[in-house]
Amino acid sequence: MTNVLNVEIGALTGGPANLAQYAGQAVLIVNVASKCGLTPQYTGLEQLQERYGAQGFTVLGVPCNQFLGQEPGSAEEIAEFCSATYGVTFPLTEKVEVNGEGRHPLYERLVGFADGEGHSGDIRWNFEKFLIGRDGTVVARFSPQTEPESAEVVAAIEGQLA
């Protein structure tokens, strides 16, 4: 399996996001959007961050505007929305494309992994989730509709932290 933590991607606030800093941790990578019906999942993502952050886990939000333009804001607007509306403390990357010719190299490495229903390939919608194990490889993929605090996501995270 390919290590996804050595991919270069920018931080939302500028400069590199330095994914290598998460080596040895479990990371839940989620393509996020501020104006989506699934946007309230930010609450569950932040709760996962608070619950497991001290145990070697982080959520990594990856803003994307490819699904009906549901993440139209600037970096500053995205950061303000996430902080003020959902109290987000987990890191956010620069806004990227997750599908198509402009697909970011991070997602080039992620999309080959299948979820529990066998779906691999293109990202279906905002809030698709990938759990990265401590070794930097993908260990689970969850559909956009799967709530962050669902039993299957929690079990997968706890399995990586055990």
Side-chain angles (χ1 to χ4, degrees):
M1 293 300 277
T2 303
N3 186 322
V4 301
L5 299 180
N6 60 12
V7 174
E8 293 183 19
I9 189 169
L12 183 65
T13 55
N18 186 21
L19 300 184
Q21 70 182 309
Y22 305 116
Q25 296 185 37
V27 181
L28 188 67
I29 299 175
V30 186
N31 62 303
V32 295
S34 301
K35 300 187 182 308
C36 174
L38 300 177
T39 300
Q41 286 191 21
Y42 268 122
T43 299
L45 294 171
E46 180 59 26
Q47 289 173 347
L48 289 175
Q49 181 69 35
E50 292 172 8
R51 183 173 175 187
Y52 297 110
Q55 299 175 48
F57 169 80
T58 192
V59 173
L60 180 66
V62 183
C64 176
N65 195 39
Q66 283 189 288
F67 301 100
L68 298 179
Q70 294 181 343
E71 187 59 279
S74 66
E76 296 77 19
E77 290 167 333
I78 294 168
E80 174 62 23
F81 171 82
C82 290
S83 175
T85 309
Y86 291 100
V88 167
T89 62
F90 56 81
L92 297 165
T93 71
E94 65 185 326
K95 192 184 324 185
V96 302
E97 291 185 10
V98 298
N99 289 331
E101 289 184 21
R103 184 187 334 249
H104 191 278
L106 175 61
Y107 277 85
E108 287 288 345
R109 294 190 184 183
L110 294 174
V111 297
F113 195 89
D115 66 15
E117 289 79 49
H119 174 81
S120 64
D122 281 352
I123 302 301
R124 293 165 283 191
W125 198 250
N126 302 307
F127 293 90
E128 192 142 348
K129 300 155 198 74
F130 293 86
L131 182 61
I132 310 305
R134 292 181 183 271
D135 64 354
T137 63
V138 181
V139 296
R141 180 176 182 170
F142 303 98
S143 78
Q145 292 76 24
T146 301
E147 289 291 331
E149 294 184 290
S150 70
E152 63 185 308
V153 174
V154 168
I157 292 169
E158 289 179 349
Q160 291 302 305
L161 298 177

